[in-house]
Amino acid sequence: MRIYLDNCAYNRPYDELTQLTVSLEAQAKLQIQSWIRKGKFELVSSEILMLEISDCPFEVRRKGITEYIKENSSIHVGADNNRKVDETAKEIMLTGVKYKDACHIASALIAKCEYFISTDKRLLKYHSDRIRLLNPVQFVSETEENDYDG
């Protein structure tokens, strides 16, 4: 199963964890990373994701996230897909999603991801028949529930 994590999801463990929701999302995101390392999911990255991460002013975050993606991403939606990403993003933007967020979703769609994981509440309001958008806690909950359905 292919999954895409946006920049917000990657940065969640670095956020202030005093709020319960933020702390739970951080723990869930770390669990997702562990599953990816174990090969349970295929991680997808993209040009827009790497661009946003490169803009991070905090070196430790930037390096840690970049290294994780390079070591664990099995699919990268590269610059050769820029035109297709842009066209798909423009369609998504018609629903009110901002350009960079639409590029993330477009990249995930182009890579045929089943799930898009974000902590951006505004972005998670976007709905599509082609991909499920969930926050990390929802994704972990669904994944664990499906593991027990066997």
Side-chain angles (χ1 to χ4, degrees):
M1 179 185 316
R2 290 182 184 168
I3 63 174
Y4 185 103
L5 285 77
D6 73 355
N7 192 41
C8 295
Y10 278 106
N11 277 285
R12 181 54 91 202
Y14 297 98
D15 291 339
E16 177 58 49
L17 302 177
T18 55
Q19 291 183 345
L20 181 58
T21 301
V22 174
S23 180
L24 290 171
E25 287 176 344
Q27 289 300 311
K29 190 271 185 175
L30 294 172
Q31 177 61 53
I32 294 165
Q33 280 189 194
S34 173
W35 286 335
I36 292 166
R37 277 191 200 102
K38 292 176 183 172
K40 186 170 184 169
F41 302 107
E42 285 184 279
L43 180 63
V44 173
S45 61
S46 68
E47 289 296 305
I48 188 69
L49 178 63
M50 300 313 289
L51 175 67
E52 282 193 345
I53 292 167
S54 72
D55 286 342
C56 179
F58 306 105
E59 185 178 0
V60 170
R61 279 189 201 200
R62 188 177 60 249
K63 279 183 155 183
I65 294 169
T66 300
E67 285 175 18
Y68 178 82
I69 292 170
K70 286 182 179 179
E71 291 171 7
N72 295 283
S73 179
S74 56
I75 298 162
H76 181 77
V77 180
D80 55 322
N81 287 292
N82 282 352
R83 188 174 60 80
K84 192 171 183 180
V85 168
D86 192 57
E87 289 170 2
T88 306
K90 286 178 181 173
E91 291 174 26
I92 294 167
M93 288 173 61
L94 296 174
T95 67
V97 175
K98 293 185 179 184
Y99 181 70
K100 283 184 180 179
D101 291 334
C103 287
H104 283 290
I105 295 170
S107 296
L109 289 171
I110 289 165
K112 299 183 180 358
C113 291
E114 287 89 350
Y115 289 93
F116 182 96
I117 302 165
S118 179
T119 60
D120 184 335
K121 289 179 182 140
R122 181 184 40 78
L123 178 57
L124 291 169
K125 292 178 183 177
Y126 173 77
H127 294 282
S128 169
D129 293 337
R130 299 185 290 171
I131 192 167
R132 300 254 345 256
L133 279 76
L134 300 173
N135 73 38
V137 175
Q138 292 169 318
F139 181 78
V140 166
S141 179
E142 276 193 22
T143 300
E144 289 181 338
E145 185 177 294
N146 289 336
D147 282 350
Y148 294 117
D149 285 347

